[in-house]
Amino acid sequence: MKKLIFRALVLSIMMACSGEKKEKKEAFEIKSKPKTEAKAEKKEEAITPADATVVELGSNDQMKFDKSEIKVPAGKKVSLTLTHTGKLDIKVMGHNFVLLKQGTDIAKFAGTAMSNPPLYLPSDKSEVIAYTKTIGGGDSVTITFDAPEKGTYDFICSFPGHYAIMKGKFIVE
Ligand code: ZN
């Protein structure tokens, strides 16, 4: 949107400085510009549904998520982006986001998950609602999933040794 305003500004300045012939040409360009802009917006929507709840979750080299609680409305899709703002390699400080079903024994789950790289998830994913791949420093990953039914759920990073600190509550209301 800002770009569009800037373009319009530049064009009007150009028009003010040029003759009538050129003015007609510029006017035509103004008409054709919004089309390309609209196309770009549509492309973005294809990746993230327009009505999805957007969640940004940060993680770092200090083995921490930047949120201990995530709240989303029920009955909508969630578009979650996990970002790793650190610099450490995926093998040393890998992070993921794993949303677990209610009643999951986290310690037991993490124990099985840790011996299963690179996803660090058990081959049986019946206790998993949603998960991202594991990322290293400087990376990010986005997933889209349906919010589970109303309630409080646990999310963890299942990279070996991380779940005790990298955990939080995912609340659907
Ligand atoms: Zn982690």
Side-chain angles (χ1 to χ4, degrees):
M1 203 60 189
K2 262 187 191 166
K3 260 188 193 168
L4 202 73
I5 292 163
F6 179 72
R7 268 184 207 154
L9 232 140
V10 169
L11 285 176
S12 55
I13 291 166
M14 280 168 79
M15 270 191 265
C17 302
S18 59
E20 207 178 305
K21 252 189 189 174
K22 213 174 181 185
E23 203 171 297
K24 269 182 189 165
K25 213 179 171 189
E26 302 288 2
F28 176 76
E29 268 181 39
I30 286 175
K31 261 188 188 169
S32 62
K33 283 250 161 94
K35 265 186 195 167
T36 33
E37 205 81 12
K39 251 187 200 168
E41 267 171 35
K42 252 187 194 169
K43 225 180 186 181
E44 221 169 86
E45 273 174 18
I47 301 163
T48 304
D51 61 338
T53 307
V54 174
V55 177
E56 306 271 353
L57 180 63
S59 59
N60 58 24
D61 284 345
Q62 283 70 51
M63 209 204 285
K64 276 181 179 160
F65 282 132
D66 67 352
K67 286 182 184 71
S68 58
E69 196 180 280
I70 296 169
K71 277 186 184 172
V72 302
K76 283 180 81 174
K77 283 199 181 296
V78 178
S79 175
L80 181 139
T81 300
L82 172 68
T83 305
H84 190 325
T85 55
K87 290 193 170 106
L88 292 173
D89 191 83
I90 189 169
K91 290 186 184 121
V92 184
M93 188 57 72
H95 297 313
N96 65 7
F97 165 89
V98 183
L99 182 60
L100 298 167
K101 283 187 183 163
Q102 287 172 332
T104 300
D105 183 332
I106 298 177
K108 199 175 159 195
F109 177 90
T112 317
M114 65 181 283
S115 56
N116 207 7
L119 275 178
Y120 297 106
L121 288 176
S123 46
D124 172 17
K125 293 180 185 57
S126 60
E127 290 177 305
V128 178
I129 297 168
Y131 66 93
T132 68
K133 64 173 184 174
T134 308
I135 57 169
D139 279 342
S140 75
V141 59
T142 301
I143 53 163
T144 302
F145 58 96
D146 292 313
E149 60 184 66
K150 283 182 188 180
T152 301
Y153 302 80
D154 292 299
F155 70 88
I156 61 165
C157 168
S158 64
F159 190 87
H162 287 198
Y163 80 91
I165 297 166
M166 296 189 76
K167 63 180 175 185
K169 298 291 179 191
F170 189 92
I171 302 161
V172 184
E173 50 187 16

